[in-house]
Amino acid sequence: MAPLTIIVVFFLWVGSLLMVQGGDPTISFEWKVTYGTISPLGVPVKGILINGQFPGPNMNSTTNNNVIVNVFNNLDEPFLLTWSGVQHRKNPWQDGVLGTNCPIPPGTNYTYKFQVKDQIGSFMYYPVTAMHKAVGGFGGLRINSRLLIPVPYADPADDYTIIAGDFFNKGHTTLKKILESGRNLGRCDGVHINGKVAKGDGSDEPLFTMEAGKTYKYRICNAGIKTSLNVRFQGHTMKLVEMEGSHTVQNDYESLDVHVGQCFAVLVTADQEPKDYFVVASTRFTKREVTATGVIRYTNGKGAPSPKLPPPPVGWAWSLNQFRTFRWNLTASAARPNPQGSYKYGSVNITRTIKLANTAQKVDGKLRYAINGASYVEPTTPLKLAEYYGVADKVFKYDTISDDPPAEITKVTMEPVVLNLTHRNFMEIIFENRETAIQSYHLCGYAFFAVAVETGQWSPEKRKNYNLLDAVSRHTIQVFPKSWAAILLSFDNCGMWNIRSEVWDRRYLGQQLYVSVVSPNKSLRDEYNMPESALVCGVVESMPRPPPAYT
């Protein structure tokens, strides 16, 4: 083929890609971030509102939508949102974490542009700066299936979002000072459901309404900062249909443990006497149980909800056993990593195993949390910017921790931690919890297969216990005390991606790291170039922008 013909074919191919992406529907949002007084537990607190709302507005999208969110930061401090669970294929620049993005300065705006590509499910957005998440800035993020791709259940009569979480009445600046003084946050003051707690005296307005005989979808997310919750519907069972981005085998549950950062979707049928009922969220694995309620009202129903609440489960062994009941619905058709189960993750050879062990230790008399003996310190220059500008050596070093930590971790270093991973390697990550507090880990940019959660210590022999057929694909995994969790995934999404504790005081004090996945061919097929609109800061702020790295 002549060189000119090759060039013409190439540009026609690129143009077709742009036309396809441009042809997908675009949805736009204008969000103003402000301070405002909130009082979910009855105590006024300086909160963070989006468009005057706490929690923030629900973001409703559909698979393959192009999403534009223009965020105006009207706070007096930097602010940054992340889109938890959105995979940002080839586009780490929109992930909204401090290892990739500069925070939005006070009094300015930044426009996120990303595509919810080939995903469905229930997710969240929330701030990653300071301790902002403790007082708001979070909300639900729905990705609906396209009409051409049916979901494995009938359309519900309505679709509701429950944003529940623990809450501290101290305010985010006080919480930040507590952590920086070398202490942990202690117990929460209470729990809220969609920013409220029902009084239960008959004066409460309903959070949701249901009509007798109809079925409703509830998306339940734990947007708290450290406490696992158990959620249940008074007098009703839940049929679990989605976990984050996966359709599950439809099992019935009286209650569900939802750990920090996780989202479930359930179907609830209005099959009881028409009156009011409570939806209940209570803390798990805490010495003092705290409970919040919200009212669900049947249309034309009469009568207040019964004061007798359904009891929560006892002990974390119950929660572990519940995890083992979660299975992927391989017969369902939907946007997901392996349609109809064609991607046999259980038969792919593992090329690298990384064990990540968390510890809590004091450094210079102050509490720090670490992974494999390293406590993450946030540099002033985002890691991805430093890498893209070719000055990574001025900001961080790769692979400063080992893949297999020692049995005893006695020394903690404080540094940015970045693991250098090979593109498309199929890997095994073991989260090992050496402490007595429950952990919750999140991986940006990917969905992984949660193949095992067990007590004790992991060893290669434990692989015989993995679920290699229908493990649920998700992005957040809990790890019980003195236990471990195993995940499998292919690192096929180039970029700089965050692995972090969703227990926010742990994340703030170092229990996180990043993984760098670089396109070996510097190809736009693998990763997009840095957008012209990207904010710059740190050591690269005064440097000329490099030419596009990918072609």
Side-chain angles (χ1 to χ4, degrees):
M1 186 180 293
L4 181 59
T5 305
I6 294 175
I7 292 173
V8 170
V9 170
F10 172 79
F11 278 106
L12 285 172
W13 173 76
V14 172
S16 68
L17 288 182
L18 294 175
M19 289 174 64
V20 169
Q21 186 172 355
D24 291 321
T26 297
I27 54 175
S28 300
F29 302 89
E30 293 279 335
W31 283 0
K32 292 184 179 180
V33 181
T34 60
Y35 296 119
T37 300
I38 60 175
S39 52
L41 306 183
V43 177
V45 173
K46 183 181 180 180
I48 293 178
L49 314 179
I50 296 182
N51 290 355
Q53 299 178 43
F54 169 79
N58 200 47
M59 179 183 287
N60 200 28
S61 65
T62 300
T63 298
N64 288 359
N65 275 172
N66 295 303
V67 180
I68 299 174
V69 190
N70 192 10
V71 178
F72 294 83
N73 178 14
N74 294 312
L75 310 181
D76 59 9
E77 53 191 322
F79 182 82
L80 189 64
L81 285 172
T82 190
W83 317 96
S84 180
V86 176
Q87 294 183 29
H88 301 289
R89 302 305 295 181
K90 305 189 292 184
N91 194 14
W93 305 104
Q94 308 300 326
D95 196 25
V97 291
L98 292 169
T100 299
N101 300 98
C102 302
I104 307 168
T108 67
N109 71 296
Y110 177 72
T111 302
Y112 296 85
K113 297 179 181 180
F114 57 89
Q115 188 178 32
V116 287
K117 182 72 173 173
D118 296 334
Q119 286 187 266
I120 54 92
S122 306
F123 308 96
M124 287 183 291
Y125 62 86
Y126 50 77
V128 295
T129 36
M131 288 297 292
H132 292 154
K133 188 187 180 192
V135 294
F138 50 74
L141 196 168
R142 303 177 181 178
I143 306 178
N144 303 299
S145 182
R146 289 181 294 171
L147 294 178
L148 294 176
I149 305 177
V151 295
Y153 50 87
D155 290 341
D158 212 333
D159 194 329
Y160 295 131
T161 296
I162 293 176
I163 301 292
D166 54 13
F167 196 82
F168 294 74
N169 286 327
K170 299 178 178 67
H172 70 285
T173 54
T174 300
L175 295 177
K176 184 170 177 281
K177 290 177 181 177
I178 290 172
L179 294 177
E180 291 177 348
S181 71
R183 297 173 289 153
N184 66 24
L185 298 181
R187 301 174 186 170
C188 67
D189 294 307
V191 174
H192 70 87
I193 300 176
N194 286 5
K196 301 176 181 178
V197 179
K199 296 183 178 66
D201 59 1
S203 65
D204 301 296
E205 289 298 317
L207 292 179
F208 313 105
T209 59
M210 299 198 299
E211 184 178 340
K214 294 185 177 180
T215 298
Y216 296 80
K217 184 175 185 178
Y218 287 85
R219 303 171 188 262
I220 306 168
C221 294
N222 185 342
I225 59 174
K226 66 179 301 177
T227 312
S228 297
L229 299 176
N230 181 267
V231 177
R232 48 209 186 272
F233 288 74
Q234 188 180 45
H236 298 72
T237 58
M238 298 173 281
K239 188 176 291 293
L240 181 64
V241 293
E242 291 173 10
M243 294 184 64
E244 295 157 2
S246 294
H247 289 310
T248 65
V249 175
Q250 296 180 25
N251 294 327
D252 291 329
Y253 296 90
E254 297 294 327
S255 68
L256 283 169
D257 274 355
V258 187
H259 304 282
V260 183
Q262 295 180 350
C263 293
F264 293 175
V266 301
L267 298 180
V268 177
T269 298
D271 56 3
Q272 301 296 311
E273 175 190 353
K275 65 186 190 84
D276 286 358
Y277 295 88
F278 282 128
V279 56
V280 185
S282 57
T283 58
R284 291 281 277 139
F285 324 121
T286 56
K287 292 182 180 179
R288 179 177 62 95
E289 181 186 303
V290 181
T291 297
T293 58
V295 172
I296 297 176
R297 178 163 296 166
Y298 275 58
T299 56
N300 301 319
K302 295 181 179 180
S306 167
K308 185 178 180 180
L309 301 180
V314 177
W316 59 263
W318 181 95
S319 190
L320 173 59
N321 288 330
Q322 184 174 80
F323 166 83
R324 291 169 175 160
T325 68
F326 299 148
R327 290 291 185 266
W328 201 359
N329 187 345
L330 296 180
T331 64
S333 174
R336 60 187 192 175
N338 58 333
Q340 290 76 50
S342 60
Y343 178 59
K344 304 296 185 181
Y345 71 93
S347 60
V348 182
N349 291 331
I350 296 169
T351 57
R352 183 177 175 182
T353 298
I354 298 176
K355 187 194 296 184
L356 301 176
N358 57 272
T359 54
Q361 291 167 274
K362 287 193 174 182
V363 178
D364 297 329
K366 294 184 177 182
L367 176 65
R368 295 292 300 187
Y369 295 104
I371 297 177
N372 290 12
S375 185
Y376 186 86
V377 177
E378 205 81 65
T380 56
T381 306
L383 309 169
K384 181 61 181 178
L385 275 182
E387 190 177 68
Y388 194 85
Y389 274 71
V391 294
D393 58 330
K394 295 183 179 180
V395 178
F396 66 91
K397 296 179 180 178
Y398 295 100
D399 295 326
T400 57
I401 61 173
S402 63
D403 286 1
D404 190 10
E408 295 292 331
I409 299 175
T410 57
K411 182 182 178 182
V412 169
T413 60
M414 295 177 59
E415 59 187 331
V417 182
V418 180
L419 300 180
N420 192 15
L421 305 187
T422 302
H423 186 221
R424 298 190 186 280
N425 267 10
F426 191 79
M427 295 181 55
E428 173 185 54
I429 297 178
I430 311 299
F431 295 104
E432 184 178 271
N433 183 5
R434 299 183 178 183
E435 300 177 64
T436 57
I438 192 168
Q439 309 293 317
S440 185
Y441 282 99
H442 174 84
L443 172 58
C444 287
Y446 291 90
F448 53 72
F449 296 98
V451 294
V453 175
E454 292 193 3
T455 59
Q457 293 184 335
W458 181 86
S459 64
E461 292 74 25
K462 299 291 185 179
R463 292 182 182 130
K464 67 179 184 295
N465 299 334
Y466 286 5
N467 176 0
L468 298 180
L469 175 63
D470 57 358
V472 175
S473 174
R474 54 195 310 186
H475 57 71
T476 306
I477 185 70
Q478 72 270 22
V479 194
F480 296 100
K482 301 294 183 180
S483 302
W484 56 269
I487 66 173
L488 300 177
L489 73 156
S490 173
F491 277 91
D492 60 354
N493 192 16
C494 290
M496 184 74 70
W497 305 107
N498 192 208
I499 298 177
R500 63 176 175 269
S501 174
E502 287 289 276
V503 180
W504 222 241
D505 49 0
R506 288 179 169 271
R507 183 209 69 92
Y508 189 85
L509 293 180
Q511 195 172 314
Q512 62 171 314
L513 54 80
Y514 283 81
V515 295
S516 173
V517 185
V518 177
S519 168
N521 302 314
K522 295 291 184 179
S523 171
L524 284 172
R525 292 182 180 181
D526 300 329
E527 183 175 352
Y528 297 147
N529 285 302
M530 174 183 170
E532 286 295 321
S533 60
L535 300 174
V536 292
C537 54
V539 299
V540 305
E541 188 169 9
S542 59
M543 296 175 61
R545 293 212 176 193
Y550 305 105
T551 58

